[in-house]
């Protein structure tokens, strides 16, 4: 069963295996770009704890956020996509639910970024995680969410469409989908 879980250092081993599976790729939805470079590849339990501590404040709307490379940072809830089959908790991916859109996010990033580790793709985790994130967006007061994907990423396009995404347009190399929040 696929669940969204807040980052939790108790899952450090599985988290490290998931990041290692991505290799040099920076997984979408992980928040890795918000971390200091030295922390990005620290797959130790201490590194996991530091990762969790670094990302947790982004969900707190009372915390003032600074500027990023594309303008102001927005509050985001970071989730780990966890498979709980057979009573075992395994991190299989990452998801970032952004609470609002900046001009940059409206063009290319959207409300939701997600990725599933290569070894666990094509098992339905992305579709289930995106559906769960749409429900969480309703808890934030959003009535629809923007999800984008690369034009050539047909698997992601199908995932978004399975979750009710309607393609508004293509801008540059991104397909832009709106998903209604039930």
């Amino acid at each position: 069963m696929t669940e969204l879980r807040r980052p939790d250092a108790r899952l450090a081993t599985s988290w490290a295996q998931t990041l290692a599976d991505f290799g040099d790729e920076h997984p979408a939805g992980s928040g890795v770009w918000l971390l200091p470079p030295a922390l990005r590849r620290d797959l130790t339990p201490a590194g996991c704890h530091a990762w969790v501590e670094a990302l947790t404040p982004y969900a707190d709307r009372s915390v003032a956020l600074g500027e990023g490379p594309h303008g102001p940072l927005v509050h985001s809830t970071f989730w780990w996509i966890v498979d709980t089959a057979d009573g075992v908790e395994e991190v299989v991916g990452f998801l970032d639910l952004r609470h609002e859109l900046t001009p940059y996010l409206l063009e290319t990033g959207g409300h939701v970024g997600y990725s599933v580790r290569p070894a666990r793709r094509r098992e339905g985790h992305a579709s289930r995680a995106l559906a769960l994130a749409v429900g969480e967006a309703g808890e934030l007061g959003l009535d629809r969410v923007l999800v984008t994907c690369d034009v050539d990423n047909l698997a992601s396009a199908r995932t978004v469409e399975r979750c009710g995404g309607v393609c508004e347009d293509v801008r540059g190399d991104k397909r832009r989908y709106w998903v209604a929040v039930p």
Side-chain angles (χ1 to χ4, degrees), residues 84-160:
T84 59
D86 301 322
V88 176
E89 300 173 318
E90 179 186 0
V91 177
V92 296
F94 304 99
L95 188 140
D96 174 13
L97 174 58
R98 300 171 194 104
H99 300 186
E100 61 186 300
L101 297 176
T102 61
Y104 173 78
L105 292 173
L106 182 62
E107 283 294 312
T108 62
H111 286 100
V112 181
Y114 62 90
S115 58
V116 172
R117 67 186 284 189
R120 297 300 305 270
R121 291 180 182 161
R122 304 184 59 88
E123 296 177 14
H125 294 295
S127 295
R128 290 188 294 272
L130 180 55
L132 291 168
V134 170
E136 292 292 335
E139 297 295 319
L140 294 172
L142 301 174
D143 59 353
R144 65 183 187 152
V145 295
L146 177 65
V147 184
T148 68
C149 66
D150 291 341
V151 171
D152 61 353
N153 189 342
L154 300 180
S156 189
R158 285 190 299 270
T159 294
V160 178

